[in-house]
Amino acid sequence: MSDAKAQETEWQAFVSQARAQPNIPFDVHWARYLEIFAARPAEAGPPPAWRPSEEQLAASNLGRLIDELGYDSYSALHAWSVDHRADFWEMVIERLGIVLLKPPVRLMGNLEDPRHPEWLPSAQMNCVDSCFTSPREKPAVIVGSETTESLETLSYGELERLVDRVANGLLRHGFSVGDAIALYMPMTLECVAAYLGIVRAGCRVVSIADSFSPVEIAKRMKIGQARSVITVASFLRGGKRIGLYDKVRQAAAEHAIVIPSVAEDDSVVRDGDLSWIDLLGDDEPFESRIAEPYHITNVLFSSGTTADPKAIPWTHLTPIKCAMDGHFHQDIRTDDVVAWPTNIGWMMGPWLIYASLINGASMALYEGSPSGEGFTRFVRQAGVSVLGTVPSLVRAWRTAEAVPFSAWEGVRVFSSTGEPSNREDYLWLMSRSGYRAPVIEYCGGTEIGGGYITGTVVQPASPATFTTPTLGLDFVILDPENAPVDAGGEGELFLRPPSIGLSEELLNRDHDDVYYSGCPAGPSGEVLRRHGDQMVRLHEGFYKAHGRADDTMNLSGIKISSRELESVIENHDAVYESAAIAVQPEGEGAEKLIVYIVTHGEVDCEQLKTDIGSLIAQRINPLFKIHELIVANSLPRTASNKLMRRALRAAYMER
C-alpha cells in the first residue's frame, strides 16, 4: 500500500502545480491522472482525486457529529445509525429542527415489521413549517435567468408570504384538504411557492415533468386524481420558447391555473381556467393544516414494467429524509447557496426544496437552459457553494468549454445523481473548483425519498464511485446464488429496511408485491427490499454502479421500462416486434438507448429511426433519443416466449 500512498502524494503535487498554472489543458490533467495511478493495485481501491483536509473534516456536519458522539470514524457512525435506527432518527429530527405540533408517543410504533415500521405514531405536523425556521430576513431563494444577468433574491419571510398567498387562494377558490393539484412547469420561484402552498393547505401535489407529452400529462393527472393543474403559458429554454399551457389543453385537463409569460399572446386562458394572479389570496399568515405523519403531500411517478407509471406517495415524513441526506451527505449548511438543475416532476425537485430550506440554506434557481455559459456565470454570481448536477449536463459543460479551470472555486461540494457517471468527465468537474471540491455521487429513488448509496465529505472521492450506504439505511449486494459478494464482485443490490423516507404504499400497485415479493432473505435472515440496481463492490469501501438488474433503463436521468418504449415503437406500421435496451458503450457513463426491430418487410433504416424517434418524442418524452436502431430477423426468447433483453445487451457489448 505504500506505493498507493506515493501515487496519491504525486497526484496532490500535480494538483498544486495545476493551481499555480491554470492554463494547463485538461487533457494533460487526465493523462497525468492515468499515468500516476496506472500501476495502482485493485486492492488499494480506486484512485482518489480528493481527500478532506483536517480543517474540512472539523467544519463538516458529519465531522462535528462524529466528534459529538465520540466515534473515531465515519464507519462507526454509520454502524450506529443502522443498529439503533430509532435513536438515529430521533437525533436527526432534533438536529434539523423538525417542527412537530404534537410529539409522537415513540419514534417507531411497529418494531416487528421493517416493511411497515409506523414512524412517529400519534404525531401531528405539516412539513412546510420546518422549511421556515430560519430568520425571516435571511435569503431563501436566488433567481437567475438566461435572459438577463441580474439576480432576484427573496428572503425567508418574503417566500413564506408568497406561500401563504397560494394557500389562502386555494381555499378561497374551493380547494379542500386532500385535494390533488398537479404541477407541470419548470423549477421557478412560482413553482416552489405553489408546491409549498399546496402542501401547507393540506392538499397534495401531483408532480409532472415539464418534458412530458399531453398523453403522459393526462395519464398522470388521472392516476393522481388531480382536480387542477398549475402550469406556465410558456417559458424560454436555450433561446427556444416552449408552450406548456397548450399541452395542458391538449391533455384535456378540466381546470388549469396559468402563470403568464412575457409573450403577449400568453395572457388569454380558457373559460373556467384561472390566472396565477387571480389565484393568489390575501397577504395574511396562513395556519398550516396539520395532519398525521403519513398524510400524503406529493404524488410522484416512477416507471414500472407496464404502460402505467408507479404512483409513489410522499408524506410529511419524506422531507426528513431529504433534509438528512442534504445535511450529512451533501454537507449543506446555513451559509450555503444550493443549486441543482432539476424539475418538480422528478424527486430531486421536491428534494431540493426541502434539503435547502429545512437546512436553512439559500436555494439558487436558474430559469433557462443550464447547459450554456449563462448558467455557469449564474453559479459564480449567485455564490453557489453546493452544486448538484447530472452526468449529461457535465458532459455538455465540458464539450462547450463553458467553465475554465478553477472558475468555480467558490463551489465546495459537487453532487451528482440521476444516471451513471464517467470518470474522465467527473475529474474534469472537480478541476473546475481547482480540485477543492469533491463530487458526492448520490443514488437513490423516488420511493426512497433520497439516496441509499452516496459519498461524503469526510471520505476520499474517486470519480464515478460511491463510498457508503446513506446514514440510517443499509444494503447487501447478492450474487446470482444470493450470496453476498466480496470486494471485486458484482451483484444485485437489496435494501435493508426500515428507514424514514422508504415508501410503504403505492397508489396503483401492490407495494409489498413490487418491493418485497420473491426477495431473498439477507445473510442473517433479515427482510430485504428489492431496488433493482446492479452494483460492483470495489476494494477499500468503494462501490460502482452498473445499471439496472431489471428491464428498467435510465435515459437522461429518467427511469423508464423497456416495455413502455416498446409499446410505443410497435405502433409504427413497419414494426413487427421490438426490444428496447440501454447500454453503457464505454462501460461507464450515461446509458444509451438501443432499439432492435423485426420489420414486416424491407425498410429504410435511417428513416425508420427518425420515425420511431418522433413517436417516442410525441408520446413519451422528447429527451429520449435513439442511439442506434438495429434491424434483426428475430429476437431471442426463452422457452416460455419471454424476451431476453439481457442477451441482447450482452451481444451488443460484445460486437
Side-chain angles (χ1 to χ4, degrees), residues 506-575:
L506 296 172
L507 301 186
N508 59 347
R509 299 278 200 287
D510 183 308
H511 184 273
D512 284 4
D513 184 58
V514 170
Y515 294 111
Y516 293 102
S517 179
C519 280
S524 301
E526 70 270 31
V527 170
L528 296 182
R529 172 178 168 132
R530 181 181 297 106
H531 187 70
D533 284 347
Q534 285 285 117
M535 196 69 61
V536 181
R537 181 186 292 277
L538 304 173
H539 291 269
E540 293 297 306
F542 288 85
Y543 302 86
K544 189 172 182 63
H546 263 197
R548 297 287 294 177
D550 54 19
D551 286 324
T552 300
M553 59 186 74
N554 187 325
L555 303 175
S556 299
I558 301 169
K559 290 181 181 177
I560 185 167
S561 72
S562 296
R563 191 59 209 143
E564 286 179 80
L565 289 163
E566 292 158 3
S567 65
V568 169
I569 293 167
E570 289 166 8
N571 282 313
H572 194 286
D573 292 340
V575 177

Side-chain angles (χ1 to χ4, degrees), residues 105-240:
V105 293
R106 64 185 70 86
L107 259 291
M108 293 170 63
N110 185 2
L111 301 177
E112 303 302 319
D113 186 359
R115 297 169 301 174
H116 303 283
E118 193 184 349
W119 296 103
L120 308 186
S122 300
Q124 294 285 299
M125 63 189 300
N126 187 302
C127 59
V128 174
D129 292 343
S130 299
C131 295
F132 293 105
T133 60
S134 293
R136 295 182 64 80
E137 66 278 5
K138 187 180 187 299
V141 183
I142 301 170
V143 180
S145 168
E146 69 179 35
T147 62
T148 177
E149 294 187 18
S150 62
L151 303 179
E152 177 187 3
T153 301
L154 263 75
S155 68
Y156 271 83
E158 291 168 328
L159 176 61
E160 187 168 21
R161 283 197 295 273
L162 183 55
V163 168
D164 286 351
R165 291 189 67 192
V166 172
N168 281 317
L170 290 172
L171 295 192
R172 181 163 58 89
H173 287 282
F175 292 93
S176 303
V177 170
D179 283 346
I181 303 161
L183 287 182
Y184 178 61
M185 59 189 302
M187 196 77 179
T188 62
L189 171 63
E190 291 83 3
C191 180
V192 172
Y195 184 95
L196 294 173
I198 291 169
V199 176
R200 174 159 271 187
C203 301
R204 64 176 65 169
V205 175
V206 177
S207 291
I208 305 176
D210 63 24
S211 57
F212 274 125
S213 66
V215 171
E216 297 299 319
I217 298 168
K219 183 186 298 181
R220 283 158 175 76
M221 288 192 67
K222 181 179 180 181
I223 294 171
Q225 300 181 352
R227 278 190 55 190
S228 183
V229 54
I230 301 178
T231 189
V232 295
S234 66
F235 69 99
L236 282 175
R237 181 174 288 158
K240 179 182 178 182

Side-chain angles (χ1 to χ4, degrees), residues 18-83:
R19 290 174 181 170
Q21 299 173 260
N23 293 327
I24 297 175
F26 177 72
D27 287 350
V28 176
H29 292 228
W30 178 239
R32 288 292 291 137
Y33 185 77
L34 295 178
E35 178 187 4
I36 289 169
F37 294 110
R40 189 177 182 85
E43 293 75 17
W50 178 90
R51 281 189 180 274
S53 67
E54 290 299 322
E55 292 77 14
Q56 289 168 318
L57 286 170
S60 67
N61 291 330
L62 268 178
R64 289 188 290 111
L65 180 65
I66 291 169
D67 184 61
E68 289 169 16
L69 296 181
Y71 291 110
D72 59 2
S73 67
Y74 170 80
S75 59
L77 173 66
H78 180 266
W80 170 76
S81 77
V82 295
D83 290 342

